[in-house]
Amino acid sequence: LILAPDWDHHISKEHMQGEGKVLFNFLAESIKTAVLEFEGELPPPDEALRLGFTFSFPVNQTALNSGTLLKWTKGFNAAGVVGEDVVTLLQNSLNDIGFSQVHVDALANDTVGTLLAMANKDPKTAIGVIFGTGTNACYTEKIEKIEKWKGSAPASGMMCINMEWGNFGQRPESAACLPLTKCDEELDAASVHVGNQRLEKLIGGMYTVSNCSPAHFA
């Protein structure tokens, strides 16, 4: 277990809703600070540091180290990122600040990271769930049941599926299954991404009851 120092690396509204380059430069600088805190100095330029990048947003992942952002959630709306490879964006920012010895070798959703962390202790682990700022889940599925899979089958015959279940309720038929109140409708209308992430807006930590007037529950 490694306990991090009390870093002040708060992601501001400018990071969330400004230019994507500003956001990824901030991430790169934070990584550099973390290495300096733990190691005391930066490694030599020819000493590669392999980095795993947890990115908790919907992506079309085509390789272990490649994935394009499909859309922002959780109040993020940084410009110039949707449709781009987020691994490339982070690597470019690391290169720009002179920290190219860090190689972004793996991209993972936080649900997948949660599942893998437990599977390392118990190989029977099949589901990873996040209840935090937002909510999401992943599970393991037989590769032959995944119609969109294009590559060769893994030796295990299984694949981890990121469900993005926080977006349940986007369609009218699924929204009808949710116990939406007047408060929920007003919260959705005031959000950055109206009509999206309806389930997440019901239970995600970002969308607390303090955003609504007590009168909404009368």
PDB file of all heavy atoms in Angstrom, residues 60-95:
ATOM      1  N   ASN A  60     -14.223   4.195 -27.153  1.00  0.00           N
ATOM      2  CA  ASN A  60     -14.162   3.075 -28.081  1.00  0.00           C
ATOM      3  C   ASN A  60     -12.726   2.579 -28.045  1.00  0.00           C
ATOM      4  O   ASN A  60     -11.849   3.150 -28.687  1.00  0.00           O
ATOM      5  CB  ASN A  60     -14.556   3.507 -29.495  1.00  0.00           C
ATOM      6  CG  ASN A  60     -14.473   2.358 -30.491  1.00  0.00           C
ATOM      7  OD1 ASN A  60     -14.631   1.196 -30.123  1.00  0.00           O
ATOM      8  ND2 ASN A  60     -14.225   2.679 -31.745  1.00  0.00           N
ATOM      9  N   GLN A  61     -12.492   1.538 -27.256  1.00  0.00           N
ATOM     10  CA  GLN A  61     -11.131   1.057 -27.059  1.00  0.00           C
ATOM     11  C   GLN A  61     -10.805  -0.018 -28.088  1.00  0.00           C
ATOM     12  O   GLN A  61     -11.452  -1.065 -28.156  1.00  0.00           O
ATOM     13  CB  GLN A  61     -10.945   0.508 -25.640  1.00  0.00           C
ATOM     14  CG  GLN A  61      -9.502   0.175 -25.326  1.00  0.00           C
ATOM     15  CD  GLN A  61      -9.224   0.080 -23.839  1.00  0.00           C
ATOM     16  OE1 GLN A  61     -10.094   0.340 -23.001  1.00  0.00           O
ATOM     17  NE2 GLN A  61      -8.008  -0.304 -23.479  1.00  0.00           N
ATOM     18  N   THR A  62      -9.787   0.240 -28.894  1.00  0.00           N
ATOM     19  CA  THR A  62      -9.408  -0.661 -29.977  1.00  0.00           C
ATOM     20  C   THR A  62      -8.112  -1.403 -29.705  1.00  0.00           C
ATOM     21  O   THR A  62      -7.726  -2.279 -30.475  1.00  0.00           O
ATOM     22  CB  THR A  62      -9.266   0.120 -31.295  1.00  0.00           C
ATOM     23  OG1 THR A  62      -8.342   1.208 -31.096  1.00  0.00           O
ATOM     24  CG2 THR A  62     -10.613   0.702 -31.722  1.00  0.00           C
ATOM     25  N   ALA A  63      -7.420  -1.058 -28.637  1.00  0.00           N
ATOM     26  CA  ALA A  63      -6.175  -1.729 -28.259  1.00  0.00           C
ATOM     27  C   ALA A  63      -5.924  -1.455 -26.782  1.00  0.00           C
ATOM     28  O   ALA A  63      -6.600  -0.618 -26.169  1.00  0.00           O
ATOM     29  CB  ALA A  63      -5.001  -1.224 -29.099  1.00  0.00           C
ATOM     30  N   LEU A  64      -4.952  -2.165 -26.224  1.00  0.00           N
ATOM     31  CA  LEU A  64      -4.638  -1.977 -24.811  1.00  0.00           C
ATOM     32  C   LEU A  64      -4.277  -0.528 -24.519  1.00  0.00           C
ATOM     33  O   LEU A  64      -4.618   0.008 -23.461  1.00  0.00           O
ATOM     34  CB  LEU A  64      -3.478  -2.890 -24.411  1.00  0.00           C
ATOM     35  CG  LEU A  64      -2.985  -2.786 -22.967  1.00  0.00           C
ATOM     36  CD1 LEU A  64      -4.091  -3.174 -21.984  1.00  0.00           C
ATOM     37  CD2 LEU A  64      -1.757  -3.659 -22.754  1.00  0.00           C
ATOM     38  N   ASN A  65      -3.627   0.133 -25.465  1.00  0.00           N
ATOM     39  CA  ASN A  65      -3.162   1.504 -25.249  1.00  0.00           C
ATOM     40  C   ASN A  65      -3.760   2.482 -26.261  1.00  0.00           C
ATOM     41  O   ASN A  65      -3.097   3.437 -26.678  1.00  0.00           O
ATOM     42  CB  ASN A  65      -1.636   1.564 -25.304  1.00  0.00           C
ATOM     43  CG  ASN A  65      -1.086   1.150 -26.663  1.00  0.00           C
ATOM     44  OD1 ASN A  65      -1.799   0.552 -27.480  1.00  0.00           O
ATOM     45  ND2 ASN A  65       0.169   1.464 -26.919  1.00  0.00           N
ATOM     46  N   SER A  66      -5.008   2.263 -26.631  1.00  0.00           N
ATOM     47  CA  SER A  66      -5.646   3.169 -27.586  1.00  0.00           C
ATOM     48  C   SER A  66      -7.157   3.174 -27.389  1.00  0.00           C
ATOM     49  O   SER A  66      -7.786   2.114 -27.315  1.00  0.00           O
ATOM     50  CB  SER A  66      -5.318   2.753 -29.023  1.00  0.00           C
ATOM     51  OG  SER A  66      -5.930   3.617 -29.958  1.00  0.00           O
ATOM     52  N   GLY A  67      -7.731   4.368 -27.309  1.00  0.00           N
ATOM     53  CA  GLY A  67      -9.183   4.484 -27.162  1.00  0.00           C
ATOM     54  C   GLY A  67      -9.641   5.904 -27.423  1.00  0.00           C
ATOM     55  O   GLY A  67      -9.042   6.860 -26.923  1.00  0.00           O
ATOM     56  N   THR A  68     -10.679   6.056 -28.229  1.00  0.00           N
ATOM     57  CA  THR A  68     -11.207   7.389 -28.545  1.00  0.00           C
ATOM     58  C   THR A  68     -12.410   7.698 -27.651  1.00  0.00           C
ATOM     59  O   THR A  68     -13.262   6.828 -27.422  1.00  0.00           O
ATOM     60  CB  THR A  68     -11.632   7.482 -30.019  1.00  0.00           C
ATOM     61  OG1 THR A  68     -12.588   6.453 -30.314  1.00  0.00           O
ATOM     62  CG2 THR A  68     -10.431   7.315 -30.932  1.00  0.00           C
ATOM     63  N   LEU A  69     -12.463   8.918 -27.168  1.00  0.00           N
ATOM     64  CA  LEU A  69     -13.563   9.350 -26.303  1.00  0.00           C
ATOM     65  C   LEU A  69     -14.850   9.444 -27.113  1.00  0.00           C
ATOM     66  O   LEU A  69     -14.904  10.125 -28.140  1.00  0.00           O
ATOM     67  CB  LEU A  69     -13.234  10.703 -25.673  1.00  0.00           C
ATOM     68  CG  LEU A  69     -14.329  11.314 -24.792  1.00  0.00           C
ATOM     69  CD1 LEU A  69     -14.606  10.444 -23.579  1.00  0.00           C
ATOM     70  CD2 LEU A  69     -13.940  12.729 -24.368  1.00  0.00           C
ATOM     71  N   LEU A  70     -15.902   8.767 -26.644  1.00  0.00           N
ATOM     72  CA  LEU A  70     -17.201   8.819 -27.311  1.00  0.00           C
ATOM     73  C   LEU A  70     -18.003  10.036 -26.867  1.00  0.00           C
ATOM     74  O   LEU A  70     -18.643  10.701 -27.684  1.00  0.00           O
ATOM     75  CB  LEU A  70     -17.988   7.537 -27.021  1.00  0.00           C
ATOM     76  CG  LEU A  70     -17.361   6.241 -27.539  1.00  0.00           C
ATOM     77  CD1 LEU A  70     -18.184   5.042 -27.081  1.00  0.00           C
ATOM     78  CD2 LEU A  70     -17.262   6.278 -29.061  1.00  0.00           C
ATOM     79  N   LYS A  71     -17.976  10.324 -25.576  1.00  0.00           N
ATOM     80  CA  LYS A  71     -18.651  11.509 -25.045  1.00  0.00           C
ATOM     81  C   LYS A  71     -18.179  11.742 -23.621  1.00  0.00           C
ATOM     82  O   LYS A  71     -17.694  10.836 -22.948  1.00  0.00           O
ATOM     83  CB  LYS A  71     -20.175  11.329 -25.063  1.00  0.00           C
ATOM     84  CG  LYS A  71     -20.695  10.246 -24.119  1.00  0.00           C
ATOM     85  CD  LYS A  71     -22.209  10.200 -24.139  1.00  0.00           C
ATOM     86  CE  LYS A  71     -22.725   9.157 -23.150  1.00  0.00           C
ATOM     87  NZ  LYS A  71     -24.200   9.117 -23.118  1.00  0.00           N
ATOM     88  N   TRP A  72     -18.322  12.968 -23.185  1.00  0.00           N
ATOM     89  CA  TRP A  72     -17.995  13.314 -21.803  1.00  0.00           C
ATOM     90  C   TRP A  72     -19.191  13.029 -20.905  1.00  0.00           C
ATOM     91  O   TRP A  72     -20.339  13.079 -21.338  1.00  0.00           O
ATOM     92  CB  TRP A  72     -17.639  14.786 -21.677  1.00  0.00           C
ATOM     93  CG  TRP A  72     -16.283  15.195 -22.155  1.00  0.00           C
ATOM     94  CD1 TRP A  72     -15.987  16.041 -23.184  1.00  0.00           C
ATOM     95  CD2 TRP A  72     -15.016  14.814 -21.589  1.00  0.00           C
ATOM     96  NE1 TRP A  72     -14.631  16.204 -23.311  1.00  0.00           N
ATOM     97  CE2 TRP A  72     -14.005  15.460 -22.343  1.00  0.00           C
ATOM     98  CE3 TRP A  72     -14.631  13.978 -20.532  1.00  0.00           C
ATOM     99  CZ2 TRP A  72     -12.650  15.304 -22.060  1.00  0.00           C
ATOM    100  CZ3 TRP A  72     -13.278  13.823 -20.260  1.00  0.00           C
ATOM    101  CH2 TRP A  72     -12.310  14.487 -21.012  1.00  0.00           C
ATOM    102  N   THR A  73     -18.922  12.777 -19.622  1.00  0.00           N
ATOM    103  CA  THR A  73     -19.953  12.630 -18.601  1.00  0.00           C
ATOM    104  C   THR A  73     -19.465  13.333 -17.340  1.00  0.00           C
ATOM    105  O   THR A  73     -18.406  13.951 -17.322  1.00  0.00           O
ATOM    106  CB  THR A  73     -20.223  11.139 -18.282  1.00  0.00           C
ATOM    107  OG1 THR A  73     -19.007  10.526 -17.817  1.00  0.00           O
ATOM    108  CG2 THR A  73     -20.721  10.400 -19.521  1.00  0.00           C
ATOM    109  N   LYS A  74     -20.262  13.248 -16.275  1.00  0.00           N
ATOM    110  CA  LYS A  74     -19.898  13.776 -14.951  1.00  0.00           C
ATOM    111  C   LYS A  74     -19.492  15.245 -14.962  1.00  0.00           C
ATOM    112  O   LYS A  74     -18.588  15.662 -14.237  1.00  0.00           O
ATOM    113  CB  LYS A  74     -18.788  12.922 -14.319  1.00  0.00           C
ATOM    114  CG  LYS A  74     -19.219  11.493 -14.006  1.00  0.00           C
ATOM    115  CD  LYS A  74     -18.152  10.715 -13.271  1.00  0.00           C
ATOM    116  CE  LYS A  74     -17.073  10.231 -14.203  1.00  0.00           C
ATOM    117  NZ  LYS A  74     -17.484   9.128 -15.082  1.00  0.00           N
ATOM    118  N   GLY A  75     -20.143  16.047 -15.806  1.00  0.00           N
ATOM    119  CA  GLY A  75     -19.887  17.485 -15.811  1.00  0.00           C
ATOM    120  C   GLY A  75     -18.708  17.918 -16.643  1.00  0.00           C
ATOM    121  O   GLY A  75     -18.441  19.116 -16.780  1.00  0.00           O
ATOM    122  N   PHE A  76     -17.965  16.978 -17.220  1.00  0.00           N
ATOM    123  CA  PHE A  76     -16.844  17.331 -18.098  1.00  0.00           C
ATOM    124  C   PHE A  76     -17.361  17.657 -19.499  1.00  0.00           C
ATOM    125  O   PHE A  76     -18.304  17.039 -19.987  1.00  0.00           O
ATOM    126  CB  PHE A  76     -15.847  16.168 -18.189  1.00  0.00           C
ATOM    127  CG  PHE A  76     -14.915  16.051 -17.027  1.00  0.00           C
ATOM    128  CD1 PHE A  76     -15.355  15.538 -15.812  1.00  0.00           C
ATOM    129  CD2 PHE A  76     -13.595  16.452 -17.135  1.00  0.00           C
ATOM    130  CE1 PHE A  76     -14.495  15.419 -14.730  1.00  0.00           C
ATOM    131  CE2 PHE A  76     -12.721  16.342 -16.063  1.00  0.00           C
ATOM    132  CZ  PHE A  76     -13.176  15.827 -14.861  1.00  0.00           C
ATOM    133  N   ASN A  77     -16.702  18.619 -20.126  1.00  0.00           N
ATOM    134  CA  ASN A  77     -17.050  18.973 -21.502  1.00  0.00           C
ATOM    135  C   ASN A  77     -15.867  19.672 -22.176  1.00  0.00           C
ATOM    136  O   ASN A  77     -16.044  20.609 -22.955  1.00  0.00           O
ATOM    137  CB  ASN A  77     -18.288  19.879 -21.540  1.00  0.00           C
ATOM    138  CG  ASN A  77     -18.956  19.859 -22.893  1.00  0.00           C
ATOM    139  OD1 ASN A  77     -18.884  18.874 -23.634  1.00  0.00           O
ATOM    140  ND2 ASN A  77     -19.615  20.954 -23.243  1.00  0.00           N
ATOM    141  N   ALA A  78     -14.656  19.221 -21.860  1.00  0.00           N
ATOM    142  CA  ALA A  78     -13.444  19.842 -22.396  1.00  0.00           C
ATOM    143  C   ALA A  78     -13.415  19.733 -23.916  1.00  0.00           C
ATOM    144  O   ALA A  78     -13.657  18.667 -24.481  1.00  0.00           O
ATOM    145  CB  ALA A  78     -12.209  19.179 -21.796  1.00  0.00           C
ATOM    146  N   ALA A  79     -13.111  20.840 -24.565  1.00  0.00           N
ATOM    147  CA  ALA A  79     -13.170  20.922 -26.026  1.00  0.00           C
ATOM    148  C   ALA A  79     -12.016  20.183 -26.691  1.00  0.00           C
ATOM    149  O   ALA A  79     -10.901  20.124 -26.161  1.00  0.00           O
ATOM    150  CB  ALA A  79     -13.161  22.388 -26.461  1.00  0.00           C
ATOM    151  N   GLY A  80     -12.305  19.614 -27.859  1.00  0.00           N
ATOM    152  CA  GLY A  80     -11.266  19.001 -28.668  1.00  0.00           C
ATOM    153  C   GLY A  80     -10.840  17.620 -28.235  1.00  0.00           C
ATOM    154  O   GLY A  80      -9.763  17.156 -28.626  1.00  0.00           O
ATOM    155  N   VAL A  81     -11.665  16.943 -27.446  1.00  0.00           N
ATOM    156  CA  VAL A  81     -11.285  15.620 -26.948  1.00  0.00           C
ATOM    157  C   VAL A  81     -12.188  14.516 -27.501  1.00  0.00           C
ATOM    158  O   VAL A  81     -11.711  13.430 -27.825  1.00  0.00           O
ATOM    159  CB  VAL A  81     -11.292  15.578 -25.403  1.00  0.00           C
ATOM    160  CG1 VAL A  81     -10.808  14.221 -24.909  1.00  0.00           C
ATOM    161  CG2 VAL A  81     -10.425  16.687 -24.828  1.00  0.00           C
ATOM    162  N   VAL A  82     -13.487  14.781 -27.612  1.00  0.00           N
ATOM    163  CA  VAL A  82     -14.409  13.777 -28.157  1.00  0.00           C
ATOM    164  C   VAL A  82     -13.955  13.379 -29.564  1.00  0.00           C
ATOM    165  O   VAL A  82     -13.679  14.225 -30.405  1.00  0.00           O
ATOM    166  CB  VAL A  82     -15.849  14.311 -28.194  1.00  0.00           C
ATOM    167  CG1 VAL A  82     -16.772  13.329 -28.915  1.00  0.00           C
ATOM    168  CG2 VAL A  82     -16.359  14.572 -26.782  1.00  0.00           C
ATOM    169  N   GLY A  83     -13.862  12.078 -29.784  1.00  0.00           N
ATOM    170  CA  GLY A  83     -13.410  11.578 -31.069  1.00  0.00           C
ATOM    171  C   GLY A  83     -11.912  11.434 -31.191  1.00  0.00           C
ATOM    172  O   GLY A  83     -11.405  10.945 -32.208  1.00  0.00           O
ATOM    173  N   GLU A  84     -11.179  11.841 -30.152  1.00  0.00           N
ATOM    174  CA  GLU A  84      -9.718  11.762 -30.160  1.00  0.00           C
ATOM    175  C   GLU A  84      -9.238  10.608 -29.276  1.00  0.00           C
ATOM    176  O   GLU A  84      -9.923  10.187 -28.340  1.00  0.00           O
ATOM    177  CB  GLU A  84      -9.104  13.073 -29.663  1.00  0.00           C
ATOM    178  CG  GLU A  84      -9.448  14.281 -30.519  1.00  0.00           C
ATOM    179  CD  GLU A  84      -8.854  14.201 -31.914  1.00  0.00           C
ATOM    180  OE1 GLU A  84      -7.758  13.607 -32.058  1.00  0.00           O
ATOM    181  OE2 GLU A  84      -9.478  14.718 -32.848  1.00  0.00           O
ATOM    182  N   ASP A  85      -8.049  10.117 -29.562  1.00  0.00           N
ATOM    183  CA  ASP A  85      -7.429   9.063 -28.770  1.00  0.00           C
ATOM    184  C   ASP A  85      -6.867   9.682 -27.495  1.00  0.00           C
ATOM    185  O   ASP A  85      -5.925  10.483 -27.545  1.00  0.00           O
ATOM    186  CB  ASP A  85      -6.316   8.387 -29.568  1.00  0.00           C
ATOM    187  CG  ASP A  85      -5.765   7.136 -28.890  1.00  0.00           C
ATOM    188  OD1 ASP A  85      -5.713   7.112 -27.642  1.00  0.00           O
ATOM    189  OD2 ASP A  85      -5.385   6.195 -29.604  1.00  0.00           O
ATOM    190  N   VAL A  86      -7.439   9.327 -26.339  1.00  0.00           N
ATOM    191  CA  VAL A  86      -7.043   9.972 -25.079  1.00  0.00           C
ATOM    192  C   VAL A  86      -5.633   9.551 -24.643  1.00  0.00           C
ATOM    193  O   VAL A  86      -4.953  10.300 -23.936  1.00  0.00           O
ATOM    194  CB  VAL A  86      -8.072   9.682 -23.963  1.00  0.00           C
ATOM    195  CG1 VAL A  86      -9.411  10.301 -24.323  1.00  0.00           C
ATOM    196  CG2 VAL A  86      -8.223   8.188 -23.696  1.00  0.00           C
ATOM    197  N   VAL A  87      -5.199   8.366 -25.061  1.00  0.00           N
ATOM    198  CA  VAL A  87      -3.825   7.949 -24.759  1.00  0.00           C
ATOM    199  C   VAL A  87      -2.837   8.848 -25.489  1.00  0.00           C
ATOM    200  O   VAL A  87      -1.840   9.308 -24.921  1.00  0.00           O
ATOM    201  CB  VAL A  87      -3.605   6.470 -25.136  1.00  0.00           C
ATOM    202  CG1 VAL A  87      -2.122   6.107 -25.035  1.00  0.00           C
ATOM    203  CG2 VAL A  87      -4.429   5.566 -24.243  1.00  0.00           C
ATOM    204  N   THR A  88      -3.127   9.116 -26.759  1.00  0.00           N
ATOM    205  CA  THR A  88      -2.255   9.999 -27.547  1.00  0.00           C
ATOM    206  C   THR A  88      -2.235  11.405 -26.957  1.00  0.00           C
ATOM    207  O   THR A  88      -1.161  12.036 -26.877  1.00  0.00           O
ATOM    208  CB  THR A  88      -2.743  10.055 -29.004  1.00  0.00           C
ATOM    209  OG1 THR A  88      -2.673   8.737 -29.575  1.00  0.00           O
ATOM    210  CG2 THR A  88      -1.892  11.005 -29.832  1.00  0.00           C
ATOM    211  N   LEU A  89      -3.384  11.899 -26.525  1.00  0.00           N
ATOM    212  CA  LEU A  89      -3.449  13.251 -25.944  1.00  0.00           C
ATOM    213  C   LEU A  89      -2.598  13.347 -24.688  1.00  0.00           C
ATOM    214  O   LEU A  89      -1.871  14.329 -24.496  1.00  0.00           O
ATOM    215  CB  LEU A  89      -4.901  13.620 -25.635  1.00  0.00           C
ATOM    216  CG  LEU A  89      -5.840  13.798 -26.830  1.00  0.00           C
ATOM    217  CD1 LEU A  89      -7.254  14.121 -26.357  1.00  0.00           C
ATOM    218  CD2 LEU A  89      -5.332  14.906 -27.758  1.00  0.00           C
ATOM    219  N   LEU A  90      -2.677  12.324 -23.829  1.00  0.00           N
ATOM    220  CA  LEU A  90      -1.875  12.357 -22.601  1.00  0.00           C
ATOM    221  C   LEU A  90      -0.395  12.202 -22.918  1.00  0.00           C
ATOM    222  O   LEU A  90       0.444  12.902 -22.348  1.00  0.00           O
ATOM    223  CB  LEU A  90      -2.335  11.253 -21.642  1.00  0.00           C
ATOM    224  CG  LEU A  90      -1.572  11.180 -20.313  1.00  0.00           C
ATOM    225  CD1 LEU A  90      -1.620  12.511 -19.569  1.00  0.00           C
ATOM    226  CD2 LEU A  90      -2.121  10.056 -19.434  1.00  0.00           C
ATOM    227  N   GLN A  91      -0.066  11.302 -23.833  1.00  0.00           N
ATOM    228  CA  GLN A  91       1.332  11.113 -24.196  1.00  0.00           C
ATOM    229  C   GLN A  91       1.922  12.384 -24.800  1.00  0.00           C
ATOM    230  O   GLN A  91       3.058  12.769 -24.498  1.00  0.00           O
ATOM    231  CB  GLN A  91       1.473   9.960 -25.192  1.00  0.00           C
ATOM    232  CG  GLN A  91       2.921   9.572 -25.478  1.00  0.00           C
ATOM    233  CD  GLN A  91       3.614   8.999 -24.265  1.00  0.00           C
ATOM    234  OE1 GLN A  91       3.243   7.945 -23.747  1.00  0.00           O
ATOM    235  NE2 GLN A  91       4.654   9.689 -23.788  1.00  0.00           N
ATOM    236  N   ASN A  92       1.146  13.072 -25.646  1.00  0.00           N
ATOM    237  CA  ASN A  92       1.618  14.329 -26.237  1.00  0.00           C
ATOM    238  C   ASN A  92       1.886  15.374 -25.166  1.00  0.00           C
ATOM    239  O   ASN A  92       2.879  16.120 -25.240  1.00  0.00           O
ATOM    240  CB  ASN A  92       0.603  14.854 -27.247  1.00  0.00           C
ATOM    241  CG  ASN A  92       0.570  14.036 -28.526  1.00  0.00           C
ATOM    242  OD1 ASN A  92       1.483  13.259 -28.800  1.00  0.00           O
ATOM    243  ND2 ASN A  92      -0.473  14.207 -29.309  1.00  0.00           N
ATOM    244  N   SER A  93       1.017  15.445 -24.162  1.00  0.00           N
ATOM    245  CA  SER A  93       1.215  16.414 -23.085  1.00  0.00           C
ATOM    246  C   SER A  93       2.441  16.067 -22.253  1.00  0.00           C
ATOM    247  O   SER A  93       3.203  16.949 -21.843  1.00  0.00           O
ATOM    248  CB  SER A  93      -0.032  16.480 -22.193  1.00  0.00           C
ATOM    249  OG  SER A  93      -1.092  17.153 -22.851  1.00  0.00           O
ATOM    250  N   LEU A  94       2.652  14.783 -21.998  1.00  0.00           N
ATOM    251  CA  LEU A  94       3.854  14.359 -21.277  1.00  0.00           C
ATOM    252  C   LEU A  94       5.107  14.728 -22.062  1.00  0.00           C
ATOM    253  O   LEU A  94       6.100  15.213 -21.494  1.00  0.00           O
ATOM    254  CB  LEU A  94       3.813  12.849 -21.032  1.00  0.00           C
ATOM    255  CG  LEU A  94       2.814  12.360 -19.974  1.00  0.00           C
ATOM    256  CD1 LEU A  94       2.604  10.861 -20.095  1.00  0.00           C
ATOM    257  CD2 LEU A  94       3.301  12.711 -18.569  1.00  0.00           C
ATOM    258  N   ASN A  95       5.062  14.523 -23.375  1.00  0.00           N
ATOM    259  CA  ASN A  95       6.201  14.882 -24.220  1.00  0.00           C
ATOM    260  C   ASN A  95       6.447  16.388 -24.204  1.00  0.00           C
ATOM    261  O   ASN A  95       7.589  16.853 -24.161  1.00  0.00           O
ATOM    262  CB  ASN A  95       5.966  14.412 -25.651  1.00  0.00           C
ATOM    263  CG  ASN A  95       5.877  12.896 -25.762  1.00  0.00           C
ATOM    264  OD1 ASN A  95       6.257  12.173 -24.850  1.00  0.00           O
ATOM    265  ND2 ASN A  95       5.355  12.419 -26.881  1.00  0.00           N
TER     266      ASN A  95
END
